[in-house]
Amino acid sequence: MFVALLAGPAHADDAAPAFDRPGIAFATETLPRGTFAWEQGLPDASTDRTDGIRTTTWIADTLLRFGVADTLELQLGANSFGGVKVRGRGEHSSEHGGGDGWASVKWAPATSSDDFTWAVLATATLPFGEAPIGDGGHDYDVGITGTWALPSDTSVSLYADRSWGDSGRGWMFSPSFAFPLGEDVGGYVEAGYGTGAARTRVAGGGVTWMATARLQLDASFLRGLDDDSPDWQGGIGMALYFP
C-alpha cells in the first residue's frame, strides 16, 4: 500500500524511463536531471547442486539511481541483506549477513537515430559487507549496452562487460530480445556467456509489469547450462521512479 501511494497517480510527462532491472544487461536510458529511482530485489536468489551438496543463496539487492545531467546518472547499490544455506553429505549450515556495495556512473549519449541507443556503465565495488554475502574485495567493471528498436515494439540488445580486481579478470556477453505482452506488460529472453572470473553459461527470461506510470514489478529466471553455473537463478522485484 505504501509503494502504491508513492507511485500514483502520475501525469504522462512523469512516466518512468527504462529501469535497469531485471536482466543481465542495463537499460540504455539515463534518468532526467534531478530525478531519482529506487530498484529493489524482493529477493533475487540462486540454487546449485554439486557433488551431492545443495547451496541456496538469496540477496535483497538495492539500487538507487540519480539523474545528474541529461545524459549522465550516478548509481549507488548494495546487497542489503542475504543468506546462504548449505545442505547435503552431512553438512547443514545457514548464514546471513549484509553484502558489499557499489558505486556506478552511467553515460547514455544522444544518437542520430531513434532506432539505436547505447550506454556505458562504469562500476567500483565498496567491500564493506560481511561473509558469506560480502567482503569480496575491490573489483571494477565497465559495461556497454546497445539496443536496436524493431517493428511491433520489439527490440534486440547486445551487452558486453569487462571486469577486473581482487576476484580476477573476466568478460561477460549477453544478447537479449524484448517484446510486448500487453499494454503494460513486457517480456524478454536472454543468454549470458562469461569467461575468466565471470565464467557462466546461462539462458532465461522474464516479465515486467508497469503497475502505474512510475511503478514496475518484475519476475525473471536463468537456467545454468554447464556445471560451473548455478542450476537456477531468479527473483522478483520492483522499481519506482520519483520525477
Side-chain angles (χ1 to χ4, degrees):
M1 180 179 290
F2 172 71
V3 170
L5 288 173
L6 288 176
H11 300 292
D13 56 357
D14 290 339
F19 293 111
D20 280 358
R21 67 166 297 128
I24 298 173
F26 53 85
T28 57
E29 290 184 59
T30 53
L31 299 180
R33 183 175 60 178
T35 64
F36 164 74
W38 166 34
E39 304 187 16
Q40 181 68 49
L42 296 172
D44 299 309
S46 66
T47 183
D48 184 65
R49 185 177 181 86
T50 302
D51 296 330
I53 298 176
R54 176 159 306 276
T55 302
T56 302
T57 303
W58 64 270
I59 298 174
D61 59 296
T62 301
L63 179 66
L64 305 178
R65 300 169 57 191
F66 308 88
V68 296
D70 290 340
T71 60
L72 192 70
E73 74 175 44
L74 172 66
Q75 300 186 357
L76 296 174
N79 293 324
S80 305
F81 192 73
V84 177
K85 182 183 293 186
V86 179
R87 298 286 187 274
R89 291 200 169 186
E91 191 169 352
H92 188 288
S93 65
S94 181
E95 299 181 80
H96 301 84
D100 293 333
W102 63 91
S104 305
V105 175
K106 183 199 277 193
W107 176 53
T111 61
S112 58
S113 171
D114 292 335
D115 295 330
F116 174 72
T117 56
W118 65 284
V120 177
L121 184 70
T123 301
T125 61
L126 307 172
F128 51 65
E130 300 176 353
I133 301 299
D135 198 19
H138 293 276
D139 292 295
Y140 311 90
D141 70 89
V142 176
I144 182 169
T145 299
T147 297
W148 291 262
L150 302 176
S152 302
D153 293 327
T154 62
S155 65
V156 64
S157 297
L158 295 177
Y159 165 76
D161 181 271
R162 175 60 168 170
S163 59
W164 68 95
D166 293 341
S167 299
R169 296 175 178 267
W171 282 95
M172 170 65 76
F173 303 96
S174 175
S176 61
F177 175 70
F179 48 89
L181 293 173
E183 184 177 355
D184 299 314
V185 181
Y188 70 92
V189 292
E190 66 179 353
Y193 178 89
T195 66
R199 178 178 172 81
T200 191
R201 307 287 190 273
V202 294
V207 294
T208 60
W209 172 42
M210 292 303 300
T212 76
R214 301 198 305 248
L215 174 64
Q216 173 187 280
L217 305 178
D218 66 73
S220 61
F221 78 97
L222 290 169
R223 172 61 172 166
L225 303 179
D226 67 357
D227 293 338
D228 295 321
S229 305
D231 295 337
W232 290 98
Q233 302 174 66
I236 58 175
M238 55 151 281
L240 183 61
Y241 175 58
F242 297 85

